[in-house]
């Protein structure tokens, strides 16, 4: 909405990034990211609870879980959501990664804003603190794709997200960039 765009210009500023297209249940969805270099590290997608096409993403098996989560979100004030622990619920759907063709689980997250980007964000736990904590909580994979230039890779386990710059690893034809 225009009022949100104005608010962002005057308060938050402009987010620069890229859009990637993931297929979910036979339909294409645009996902915004400020770190396209981490595309090979995506281990989940997170959708806003207010996403306009949310119904298309919820499987029959997960409908009750999702409805319960959405009810909890509706009862929470917006200012409280911002301070809450990041929580989510699995939709029962999987996205197809646009480059690897892997199946990526689609979650609804209380931290995703419908007004930001497309209302769907890439979850890259190895390189984003919020995503890292979310992945730890829900036991989602952590895929390291950026190595600090001055360090050697010592296994793929991490105790925190690495958000700095470095060389791409585990990124197929882009390794070393």
């Amino acid at each position: 909405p225009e009022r949100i765009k104005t608010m962002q210009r005057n308060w938050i500023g402009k987010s620069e990034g890229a859009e990637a297209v993931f297929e979910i249940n036979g339909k294409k969805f645009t996902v915004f990211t400020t770190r396209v270099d981490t595309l090979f590290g995506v281990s989940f997608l997170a959708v806003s609870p207010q996403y306009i096409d949310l119904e298309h993403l919820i499987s029959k098996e997960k409908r009750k879980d999702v409805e319960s989560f959405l009810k909890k979100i509706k009862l929470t004030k917006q200012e409280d959501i911002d301070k809450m622990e990041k929580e989510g619920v699995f939709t029962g759907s999987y996205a197809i990664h646009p480059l690897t063709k892997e199946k990526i689980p689609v979650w609804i997250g209380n931290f995703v804003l419908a007004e930001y980007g497309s209302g769907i964000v890439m979850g890259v736990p190895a390189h984003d603190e919020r995503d890292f904590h979310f992945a730890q909580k829900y036991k989602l994979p952590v895929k390291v794709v950026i190595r600090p230039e001055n360090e050697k890779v010592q296994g793929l386990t991490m105790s925190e997200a690495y958000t700095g710059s470095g060389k791409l690893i585990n990124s197929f034809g882009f390794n070393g960039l």
Side-chain angles (χ1 to χ4, degrees):
E2 193 56 42
R3 67 179 183 80
I4 299 297
K5 289 179 186 177
T6 302
M7 180 179 68
Q8 287 179 338
R9 273 189 222 97
N10 296 327
W11 177 53
I12 300 171
K14 182 178 171 184
S15 283
E16 295 199 16
E19 293 179 336
V21 178
F22 287 77
E23 185 179 311
I24 307 169
N25 299 331
K27 188 174 177 184
K28 295 187 183 308
F29 289 83
T30 301
V31 177
F32 178 76
T33 180
T34 58
R35 296 280 315 259
V36 72
D37 56 331
T38 63
L39 186 58
F40 285 98
V42 175
S43 64
F44 67 92
L45 296 183
V47 181
S48 168
Q50 294 83 29
Y51 186 69
I52 194 158
D53 201 7
L54 191 60
E55 281 298 312
H56 184 82
L57 304 176
I58 305 167
S59 71
K60 290 177 184 175
E61 298 79 24
K62 292 294 182 178
R63 183 150 312 276
K64 284 187 180 183
D65 294 342
V66 169
E67 287 172 356
S68 175
F69 180 74
L70 293 176
K71 186 175 181 179
K72 177 181 174 184
I73 294 293
K74 284 183 181 179
L75 297 174
T76 307
K77 295 178 186 171
Q78 184 61 46
E79 57 270 14
D80 293 336
I81 288 174
D82 296 338
K83 298 173 194 166
M84 285 176 57
E85 180 179 356
K86 306 312 178 214
E87 294 183 329
V89 64
F90 177 51
T91 63
S93 291
Y94 291 87
I96 304 301
H97 192 287
L99 300 175
T100 67
K101 305 305 179 201
E102 278 181 274
K103 288 173 62 175
I104 308 290
V106 179
W107 287 71
I108 299 170
N110 66 351
F111 56 90
V112 184
L113 303 173
E115 301 85 13
Y116 184 75
S118 64
I120 305 176
V121 296
M122 295 182 348
V124 186
H127 305 293
D128 182 277
E129 286 295 330
R130 180 203 58 215
D131 296 348
F132 183 80
H133 295 295
F134 189 82
Q136 293 293 301
K137 180 174 184 167
Y138 294 104
K139 299 185 180 5
L140 298 168
V142 177
K143 301 175 183 179
V144 179
V145 294
I146 298 175
R147 175 182 48 85
E149 289 195 44
N150 59 351
E151 292 184 25
K152 293 183 180 178
V153 178
Q154 300 189 1
L156 297 180
T157 59
M158 301 177 74
S159 58
E160 63 182 18
Y162 175 70
T163 60
S165 60
K167 298 272 186 181
L168 287 174
I169 60 172
N170 303 318
S171 298
F172 299 96
F174 300 96
N175 289 339
L177 296 178

